[in-house]
């Protein structure tokens, strides 16, 4: 490879053929989810009405590696391996001795890392005779990824999109429809729960919790239909490890080892996808990167939440997960990074953080948009609002290197493009993006409604 | 390379380092442009107020190859070489023995092939001390490409966007601003011409012709400012030949030779970029592909226009070019493929077509959207409305192969993604896209106002 490379391409022959499961390598196993009725550890049979058995077995697997089926690889190969970039122009603009690398997932058809798990989820469901998947979506990244994946396997896809987003961002809905999905504004007249909410308020703005309830209820009522989740769970993070496995090989191609790894954390899947293979190397003593989670200041799960059992949804219908949470009733401010507006954190990422293997920092959105703008003007790519959080943390570190004169190697998770988020940039450019104060009292009040279990 | 490849990646080391100029290889030279005042052949000095000398010399060059400067390659390397795909899922859906390849330019930061020429244009202007570029844009593909390119060389960029598009498609404007450009709705209060038009009609919808006049007038008034054009001219098509040079090498990697090459033609730059290196091979007897231009039925320049001298703009201020034209006063119907709504055709593409080296076909937009939808649902990528014209022609050919049992190898120019064109797909999905009747009488009436010169 020439010394002045910008992009490190991995040959298609180097596409990972196994997913990595970090759990067996951790110094302690993560606490189990609890059945919401019995409060006993939830077993595979509790999840069977919603998920296919192959995914349930992955969720609880103690194998370190799981083979990626050929029928999944054939779809991933449409855009994977994804490129690793050296951000030389950003380095120059910052006048930093740091080396900045970013792993870019915006090359997928849906424009983010989400298809990495949507594709295997559709594949395994299809293999078990499921003909339709339901899911919820907020801004639409996950819904469009699942719509794309279902189109690849000839499956139906039905998506409940939070009403406020359905109205404000019509183009994600169009993208889902383009791939053949049926999209409902949630609350919808399709479910009993939705009809009740609409009767009380025909203009109900909806929420992710409500959309989950609707998608779950339709899946549970029909044996040919299953539900699909885009983040949080172990198998989802495992599907995303192709990101980190590729990045390891790409950095090796240019003889680099990261001193710092940063990724934004919403439900944790993009962060986990990049970080977990590097954590394996760190635990094995092969490298010693600092691994830093970056979250929005208005939804500071890891930095200000508590590590305890809580529900995954607002309606308290999911199992209880031990995770960093702001309380299942917490409603994050309406920041533009919709993918980071979740009251909890992946139980696996939470556990790893509790073990002291990661750091966390919260950054207000105006600093993130400034980082996104600087990135676009130097590197060219327009980032989605979510990864601008990772970029802001990267720029902080690069400027610290400038101060100290130290040349650290930073690896940044760039999980998607912002082509469908340009209205957010328009708000920022016109000065209409503000930060939100979040008091410790508000967090304490939200947490007070979480049942005390451990 | 494995036999079941989907994507043919060219290593960065194989990025072409020279542009190809087809003119010396043609059996006859193209007719020269004429000065609009004297009607004599226009010389380099006539273009000097608008373009830097390096580009003017490229425009009239008789060299077969021109070296790409390192400062240009360093930016192109951010996304080039672009991938070549084998559309196996589309082939399967069509049940065709044809092999379908597509060269995908949507991987550039601006999402189309346009940066291939925007980057060298900004580079050469910057090298000659120009600090600002002006241009016009319709839907915004070209304006955003030039805004990106200017940001890479620290130049200012000022764009006049047709008022109707400025109002209807605000996100392209945001993308340009994100890269630091100043964007005006055209007609604008910034120029005398714009002020006149606004005084007569404050809600003037604008046109490309008006926007060109505004951008040109600002550039001509200041020696530090130049004007930049995104298609039509020889040097623009030459900059795009990196597309075809890469595709030649990629097809060779998988031992394939095209029997048919298709590309959409608006101003001709994407088509020329892919086709001209293949035309060189055809003229040299190394292969014998049919080369087919695809245009919208509502703007059928090559299939129903006349090959004669006409003005490049509506206001008759440019040189006269010998080209296939519908008449400089022709106003195409408001189809969604804004990049194909031009009354003329690149003089170079017109000349080659007149020499009998290419074919042309016109297709109505509803068939094109149907092709785009089928492509998205099989191959995953959402195409811009412009390349759906090439896809529609590809599908016609693939279905003809199914009928005949012949296995032809088709190479399709996929010049950009449709992430910022989802409103067009929304119209199509909801049944609101219609085709437009265009009578021979209307074309004849438009052509009657073109001066008879040859």
């Amino acid at each position: 490879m020439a010394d002045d490379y910008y992009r490190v391409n991995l040959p298609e022959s180097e596409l990972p053929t196994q997913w990595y499961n970090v759990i067996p390598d951790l110094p302690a196993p993560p606490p189990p989810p609890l059945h919401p009725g019995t409060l006993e550890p939830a077993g595979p049979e509790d999840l069977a009405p919603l998920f296919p058995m192959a995914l349930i077995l992955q969720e609880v697997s103690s194998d370190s590696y799981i083979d990626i089926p050929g029928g999944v690889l054939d779809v991933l190969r449409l855009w994977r391996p994804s490129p690793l970039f050296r951000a030389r122009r950003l380095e120059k603009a910052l006048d930093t001795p740091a080396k900045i690398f970013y792993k870019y997932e915006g090359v997928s058809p849906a424009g983010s890392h989400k298809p990495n798990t949507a594709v295997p989820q559709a594949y395994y469901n299809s293999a078990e005779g499921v003909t339709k998947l339901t899911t919820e979506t907020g801004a639409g990244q996950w819904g469009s990824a699942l719509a794309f994946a279902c189109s690849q396997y000839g499956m139906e896809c039905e998506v409940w999109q939070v009403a406020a987003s359905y109205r404000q961002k019509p183009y994600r809905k169009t993208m889902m429809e383009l791939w053949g999905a049926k999209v409902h504004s949630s609350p919808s007249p399709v479910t009993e729960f939705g009809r009740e909410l609409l009767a009380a308020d025909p203009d109900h703005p909806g929420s992710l919790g409500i959309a989950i309830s609707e998608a779950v209820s339709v899946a549970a009522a029909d044996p040919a239909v299953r539900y699909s989740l885009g983040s949080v769970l172990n198998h989802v993070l495992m599907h995303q490890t192709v990101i980190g496995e590729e990045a390891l090989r790409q950095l090796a191609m240019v003889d680099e080892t990261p001193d710092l790894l940063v990724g934004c954390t919403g439900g944790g899947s993009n962060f986990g996808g990049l970080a977990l293979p590097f954590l394996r190397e760190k635990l094995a003593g092969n490298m010693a990167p600092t691994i830093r989670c970056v979250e929005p200041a208005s939804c500071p799960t890891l930095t200000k939440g508590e590590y305890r059992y809580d529900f995954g949804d607002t309606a308290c219908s999911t199992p209880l997960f031990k995770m960093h949470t702001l309380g299942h009733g917490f409603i994050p401010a309406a920041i533009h990074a919709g993918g980071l507006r979740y009251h909890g954190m992946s139980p696996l990422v939470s556990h790893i953080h509790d073990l002291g293997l990661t750091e966390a920092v919260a950054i207000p959105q105006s600093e993130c948009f400034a980082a996104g703008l600087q990135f676009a003007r130097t590197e060219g790519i327009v980032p989605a609002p979510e990864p601008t959080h990772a970029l802001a943390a990267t720029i902080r570190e690069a400027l610290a290197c400038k101060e100290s004169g130290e040349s650290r190697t930073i690896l940044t998770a760039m999980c998607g493009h912002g082509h469908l988020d340009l209205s957010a940039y328009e708000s920022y450019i016109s000065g209409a993006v503000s930060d939100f104060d979040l008091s410790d009292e508000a967090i304490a009040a939200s947490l007070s409604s979480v049942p005390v279990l451990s």
Side-chain angles (χ1 to χ4, degrees), chain A:
Chain A
M1 195 107 213
D3 276 350
D4 61 344
Y5 62 87
Y6 288 90
R7 192 168 56 149
V8 185
N9 288 325
L10 202 62
E12 188 180 305
S13 57
E14 292 279 307
L15 176 63
T17 56
Q18 294 189 312
W19 291 302
Y20 170 58
N21 177 19
V22 75
I23 293 174
D25 288 338
L26 293 176
L34 304 180
H35 188 283
T38 63
L39 299 184
E40 294 298 314
E45 66 286 0
D46 294 321
L47 299 170
L50 290 184
F51 299 105
M53 198 44 68
L55 292 176
I56 294 171
L57 294 177
Q58 289 181 4
E59 184 67 19
V60 299
S61 174
S62 56
D63 294 335
S64 292
Y65 293 93
I66 292 178
D67 287 342
I68 307 178
V72 171
L73 288 172
D74 275 352
V75 180
L76 296 184
R77 284 197 282 160
L78 290 175
W79 71 93
R80 303 209 73 84
S82 71
L84 178 79
F85 285 91
R86 172 86 184 269
R88 293 186 188 273
R89 287 179 175 76
L90 178 60
E91 292 170 15
K92 195 176 167 196
L94 296 170
D95 190 22
T96 177
K99 295 177 184 175
I100 302 173
F101 290 86
Y102 62 97
K103 178 71 170 166
Y104 184 46
E105 293 295 309
V107 292
S108 79
S112 79
H113 65 294
K114 294 285 187 186
N116 294 332
T117 184
V119 169
Q121 289 195 43
Y123 172 85
Y124 286 117
N125 273 287
S126 176
E128 294 187 23
V130 175
T131 56
K132 180 160 97 177
L133 289 177
T134 69
T135 199
E136 74 289 338
T137 199
Q141 282 279 18
W142 169 243
S144 53
L146 194 66
F148 158 70
C150 286
S151 77
Q152 290 291 310
Y153 298 103
M155 301 176 76
E156 288 179 72
C157 183
E158 201 164 351
V159 182
W160 278 260
Q161 184 174 20
V162 176
S165 296
Y166 183 92
R167 293 170 202 150
Q168 285 164 13
K169 299 193 170 185
Y171 298 132
R172 274 282 172 200
K173 168 180 152 289
T174 303
M175 199 174 215
M176 293 184 255
E177 290 174 342
L178 224 156
W179 282 315
K182 188 164 176 53
V183 186
H184 305 284
S185 176
S186 170
S188 77
V190 178
T191 69
E192 195 176 322
F193 187 41
R195 284 190 293 272
E196 277 173 27
L197 293 168
L198 286 175
D201 177 4
D203 292 324
H204 200 298
S207 75
L208 268 178
I210 294 166
I212 291 174
S213 301
E214 293 201 278
V216 162
S217 72
V218 169
D222 185 339
V225 180
R226 288 289 183 280
Y227 168 72
S228 191
L229 193 63
S231 191
V232 176
L233 299 178
N234 297 344
H235 69 272
V236 177
L237 271 65
M238 194 183 69
H239 295 158
Q240 295 291 355
T241 58
V242 290
I243 303 173
E245 297 289 11
E246 288 177 5
L248 273 169
R249 297 179 199 189
Q250 287 164 311
L251 284 174
M253 284 169 71
V254 292
D255 290 324
E256 296 285 349
T257 310
D259 299 302
L260 173 67
L261 195 154
V262 296
C264 64
T265 44
S269 76
N270 156 62
F271 171 80
L274 182 67
L276 297 180
F278 284 87
L279 180 59
R280 174 189 65 215
E281 301 303 315
K282 184 176 179 171
L283 291 168
N286 297 328
M287 53 178 74
T290 299
I291 301 177
R292 190 170 294 158
C293 306
V294 191
E295 54 189 18
S298 54
C299 195
T301 324
L302 289 165
T303 51
K304 297 208 171 175
E306 288 185 11
Y307 183 51
R308 56 194 285 192
Y309 273 102
D310 195 3
F311 294 99
D313 72 331
T314 315
C316 306
S317 62
T318 71
L320 287 142
F321 296 100
K322 190 159 183 187
M323 60 181 177
H324 286 80
T325 179
L326 295 162
H328 58 268
F330 182 78
I331 306 291
I335 59 168
H336 291 282
L340 307 182
R341 294 178 68 237
Y342 183 59
H343 70 271
M345 177 51 59
S346 152
L348 183 54
V349 170
S350 293
H351 175 60
I352 289 167
H353 191 64
D354 190 59
L355 291 171
L357 297 172
T358 52
E359 295 181 356
V361 61
I363 302 185
Q365 71 173 349
S366 57
E367 181 178 341
C368 299
F369 273 109
L373 198 71
Q374 184 167 27
F375 186 83
R377 289 186 184 174
T378 50
E379 294 299 309
I381 291 169
V382 178
E386 290 81 1
T388 65
H389 289 73
L391 292 172
T394 297
I395 290 174
R396 281 187 183 185
E397 186 75 16
L399 293 176
C401 285
K402 181 185 178 184
E403 198 72 26
S404 69
E406 193 186 0
S407 171
R408 305 194 79 199
T409 297
I410 307 169
L411 174 60
T412 306
M414 250 290 281
C415 56
H417 65 63
H419 300 167
L420 280 82
D421 302 287
L422 288 166
S423 61
Y425 280 100
E426 178 61 37
S427 296
Y428 174 71
I429 291 171
S430 63
V433 158
S434 52
D435 295 325
F436 297 91
D437 279 334
L438 176 62
S439 69
D440 291 344
E441 291 72 24
I443 295 172
S446 171
L447 283 167
S448 68
S449 66
V450 178
V452 178
L453 289 181
S454 68

